[in-house]
Amino acid sequence: MQDNNINEIMSNALTVNKDTLSKNIKDIINQIKNVIEANKDNIENASSIDKNNDNGFILNFDIVNNIFSNIEKENTLYGDVTLSQKDDYKKIIYGTQIMEYGNVAVISDGNPYVIIEMALRNIIAGNTTIFANDKFMLGTNQLLIQIIQSVLEQFNISKYLVQIYITNNFDEVLSNFANIDLVICIGNRNLQNMILNKSKNKTIISGYENFDLYIEDTTHLEFINKIINTGLNIQLYVNENTNLDYSNSIIVSDIDEAIAQINYNGNRYSSAIFTSSTENASKFIKQVKSKIVTINISPTIERIIDINQSDLTIEKTIIYPFSFKFDGNNDTIQITDDESI
């Protein structure tokens, strides 16, 4: 069971020792992948229980595997030092080192794909991570956090590198702004706006796993219903001329109103239009402000989190002489031909 005292969670996060993390990042990610795969049945059972309690959905392990595939391609790793420029005249080297951002609070609607990907991305960034969400998919999310923590402990790294705090009052988290270096909010537009208004820290927002779909005509109705029946967070915008009746849909009069509504209320992550009009499809592409736009294709086709790995790290510029060895075996450090220390 996870600790659910925010002061204790913050205290634990601030005392995590990361001395051995940079040497083990790739092995940690690989082991987390292996342990999640080994516990696939348990994770599916947990998500089944959450779904039966009207509190979640069945995890799709194709999406989980895609998350790991994208993570494994990342080369921005905590602690890495790379050469950027060599000055033969001064006999010095300019380089960069990837440093952690620090203590990151990830506020979300509880989607477990967010838990997996943001835990992995912050581990390779060297950040401590506190997830804050309500009880959505509580059993699944707690199991995932426990798996990740167990792997961290296998590498003698404190499990408090990754923690979860269950709350529906995000003010409790944001009030600890002095101990937070970065806030990440992943959810629908209402959640994003609320956190942006309340956060005193640098805040990154994403509508990941929240989709907008405009139905202009009924040409693709069978396919549209399949998308809707997945149970994902999809906001529907329906042209009034279709006479379609979906609960919680927003009725619009034409393409212009649909675009205006999506740009104002939408999640700005992935938006789709289903239409037989090439003119309206072109207008939708040009004017909708989402990061992913699809035409007569499900808005869920590209389920990749739209946060860059570089946003989770700080790039430090370092300058060192040719003779410096990072293994600690250097003798005199020569700065120039005439000066040494």
Side-chain angles (χ1 to χ4, degrees):
M1 199 70 179
Q2 302 296 314
D3 191 337
N4 214 44
N5 180 303
I6 188 60
N7 293 325
E8 187 71 21
I9 287 173
M10 284 290 177
S11 177
N12 290 334
L14 294 171
T15 58
V16 171
N17 188 320
K18 304 174 186 176
D19 288 349
T20 62
L21 179 59
S22 62
K23 299 177 182 177
N24 295 294
I25 287 175
K26 290 186 178 180
D27 290 335
I28 290 170
I29 299 302
N30 188 55
Q31 183 64 358
I32 291 173
K33 180 180 181 180
N34 292 338
V35 177
I36 285 180
E37 181 62 31
N39 283 274
K40 182 178 179 180
D41 290 343
N42 293 330
I43 296 170
E44 287 180 336
N45 287 338
S47 63
S48 294
I49 293 171
D50 286 332
K51 185 176 186 297
N52 291 337
N53 291 331
D54 295 323
N55 192 41
F57 55 87
I58 306 298
L59 253 67
N60 183 337
F61 271 80
D62 288 339
I63 296 174
V64 174
N65 291 333
N66 190 49
I67 290 172
F68 276 99
S69 295
N70 288 319
I71 292 294
E72 289 163 357
K73 296 173 186 174
E74 289 290 351
N75 54 15
T76 305
L77 303 180
Y78 168 60
D80 275 3
V81 177
T82 56
L83 169 67
S84 59
Q85 183 181 348
K86 191 174 181 180
D87 190 322
D88 291 314
Y89 176 73
K90 295 181 179 179
K91 298 188 182 301
I92 59 175
I93 296 171
Y94 295 87
T96 58
Q97 183 176 17
I98 304 301
M99 301 299 296
E100 78 274 25
Y101 216 102
N103 195 20
V104 178
V106 179
I107 297 173
S108 75
D109 56 9
N111 189 301
Y113 300 133
V114 170
I115 298 287
I116 295 171
E117 182 156 1
M118 291 312 301
L120 297 176
R121 288 194 174 278
N122 278 297
I123 287 171
I124 67 176
N127 296 322
T128 52
T129 310
I130 298 170
F131 290 97
N133 50 59
D134 62 15
K135 294 183 178 180
F136 182 70
M137 296 199 76
L138 176 61
T140 305
N141 288 334
Q142 287 193 326
L143 177 56
L144 289 169
I145 292 293
Q146 288 168 2
I147 287 172
I148 293 167
Q149 289 180 332
S150 70
V151 172
L152 291 170
E153 291 185 317
Q154 290 176 26
F155 289 86
N156 296 315
I157 297 170
S158 172
K159 68 180 182 179
Y160 299 128
L161 188 72
V162 178
Q163 300 178 83
I164 187 169
Y165 177 56
I166 306 303
T167 183
N168 56 11
N169 180 10
F170 297 123
D171 288 343
E172 295 175 321
V173 178
L174 297 175
S175 65
N176 284 272
F177 59 88
N179 296 321
I180 296 172
D181 299 292
L182 178 67
V183 173
I184 299 174
C185 175
I186 301 176
N188 62 33
R189 195 68 174 161
N190 290 334
L191 180 62
Q192 292 175 30
N193 287 336
M194 180 181 71
I195 300 304
L196 284 172
N197 287 333
K198 293 184 176 183
S199 176
K200 295 183 180 180
N201 300 93
K202 178 180 177 180
T203 302
I204 298 173
I205 59 171
S206 171
Y208 175 64
E209 287 295 296
N210 290 269
F211 309 96
D212 297 291
L213 191 157
Y214 170 49
I215 306 172
E216 185 165 72
D217 56 46
T218 59
T219 306
H220 305 86
L221 192 57
E222 183 177 353
F223 181 49
I224 292 169
N225 286 331
K226 287 181 180 179
I227 298 169
I228 295 170
N229 290 334
T230 59
L232 295 170
N233 295 330
I234 298 174
Q235 176 60 62
L236 292 177
Y237 304 82
V238 179
N239 189 293
E240 62 186 5
N241 295 323
T242 64
N243 295 316
L244 295 173
D245 183 19
Y246 293 102
S247 61
N248 300 318
S249 62
I250 296 175
I251 305 301
V252 298
S253 58
D254 55 23
I255 182 68
D256 293 316
E257 185 180 355
I259 292 170
Q261 288 279 4
I262 290 173
N263 286 344
Y264 183 76
N265 297 309
N267 302 295
R268 300 197 177 184
Y269 172 64
S270 183
S271 297
I273 180 174
F274 282 85
T275 181
S276 55
S277 167
T278 56
E279 180 182 352
N280 285 349
S282 297
K283 179 179 283 191
F284 193 84
I285 290 171
K286 292 176 182 177
Q287 297 183 15
V288 165
K289 295 180 180 178
S290 296
K291 295 180 180 178
I292 301 169
V293 177
T294 65
I295 309 300
N296 297 336
I297 295 174
S298 171
T300 70
I301 191 168
E302 286 291 326
R303 297 170 75 170
I304 301 172
I305 205 162
D306 52 334
I307 294 176
N308 295 325
Q309 188 63 36
S310 58
D311 292 331
L312 306 177
T313 60
I314 296 172
E315 188 176 274
K316 178 194 293 184
T317 298
I318 55 176
I319 306 170
Y320 53 96
F322 287 1
S323 60
F324 186 79
K325 305 294 183 183
F326 279 96
D327 59 9
N329 294 326
N330 60 296
D331 296 319
T332 301
I333 300 178
Q334 192 76 25
I335 302 297
T336 68
D337 288 337
D338 302 319
E339 181 182 0
S340 64
I341 57 172

